[in-house]
Amino acid sequence: MSEVVLSRSDLAAAELPLYPGIGLASITLVSSAAQAEEARTALMAADAIGFDTESKPTFLKGEVSTGPHLIQLATDEHAYLFPVVGTPALDVLKAVLEAPGVLKVGFGLGNDRSALHTRLNIALQNVLDLGEELRGPGHRGTVGAKVAVAHYFGQKLQKSKKIGTSNWANARLNERQILYAANDAHVALRIYRTWRQNNDLPA
């Protein structure tokens, strides 16, 4: 199954078991130099990592986003969340996101390259947008993580709109925000691994 043919309407009608996701014990909210170095070691050792960003939503006409406010990176075993404001890990983020030997995979990454360059002077390299890559014939628009999880895992990925549009610039993220953000990055890597395995692509 190299291409996703399941539609959003198919997904809405399907009764699927819930996708369990990554747990809090496997998530680090990076807030110290030591945690940043631990993240650097793990992420730079990977051939591919899950990647996503979150930004504080804009609601007013003409309001310009100041995001990203959170950057999520995940290995197969662990997810690392990097708040942008006051981060002790900007050099780590720059090293990982600019590393040509580490593939960054995610969904809907169209605006991330310009936002990272404008906000943090990071030149994103070696990126695969699964939303574009997995699109099958007749699938309008890009593929989202929810549709991909149903297609590849036969499970339902819960994504709360309330959490997705919450304030990601908060100094203290709550547990639901942490789980939401970590799973956005981690599930992308899981889907990437399954897609490659299903298509017998070399590692």
Side-chain angles (χ1 to χ4, degrees):
M1 293 188 295
S2 61
E3 296 169 324
V4 174
V5 296
L6 184 71
S7 70
R8 293 175 179 83
S9 58
D10 293 334
L11 176 61
E15 294 185 6
L16 302 173
L18 293 180
Y19 175 75
I22 193 170
L24 284 171
S26 299
I27 304 170
T28 298
L29 184 61
V30 178
S31 59
S32 69
Q35 288 176 327
E37 285 307 313
E38 177 186 324
R40 183 204 299 263
T41 299
L43 293 163
M44 293 295 280
D47 64 309
I49 58 176
F51 166 57
D52 196 29
T53 68
E54 302 292 349
S55 298
K56 177 184 176 181
T58 56
F59 297 109
L60 301 177
K61 184 178 180 180
E63 185 179 2
V64 177
S65 173
T66 57
H69 297 101
L70 185 74
I71 299 173
Q72 306 102 272
L73 302 173
T75 66
D76 294 292
E77 298 83 20
H78 206 92
Y80 300 91
L81 310 185
F82 296 84
V84 170
V85 178
T87 180
L90 184 56
D91 61 327
V92 171
L93 285 169
K94 188 172 179 67
V96 174
L97 292 174
E98 293 185 350
V102 179
L103 178 66
K104 298 90 190 175
V105 298
F107 288 90
L109 304 179
N111 296 324
D112 288 291
R113 190 182 301 276
S114 59
L116 285 167
H117 187 264
T118 301
R119 178 90 193 274
L120 301 173
N121 194 30
I122 291 175
L124 188 61
Q125 292 192 52
N126 198 5
V127 181
L128 178 68
D129 191 330
L130 292 168
E132 297 287 350
E133 191 70 27
L134 301 181
R135 183 167 52 184
H139 194 108
R140 294 185 178 181
T142 59
V143 174
K146 292 174 72 171
V147 168
V149 166
H151 177 80
Y152 286 106
F153 304 147
Q155 296 174 325
K156 182 177 182 179
L157 176 66
Q158 286 189 308
K159 285 178 68 71
S160 164
K161 186 175 182 180
K162 182 178 180 181
I163 298 299
T165 57
S166 60
N167 187 358
W168 296 101
N170 274 341
R172 294 177 65 88
L173 299 178
N174 62 44
E175 183 176 305
R176 293 183 68 190
Q177 285 178 302
I178 289 170
L179 286 168
Y180 179 105
N183 274 288
D184 268 1
H186 189 256
V187 77
L189 183 59
R190 283 203 62 209
I191 289 169
Y192 169 74
R193 299 288 192 208
T194 303
W195 168 67
R196 291 186 65 86
Q197 185 178 30
N198 286 357
N199 290 282
D200 197 27
L201 297 173

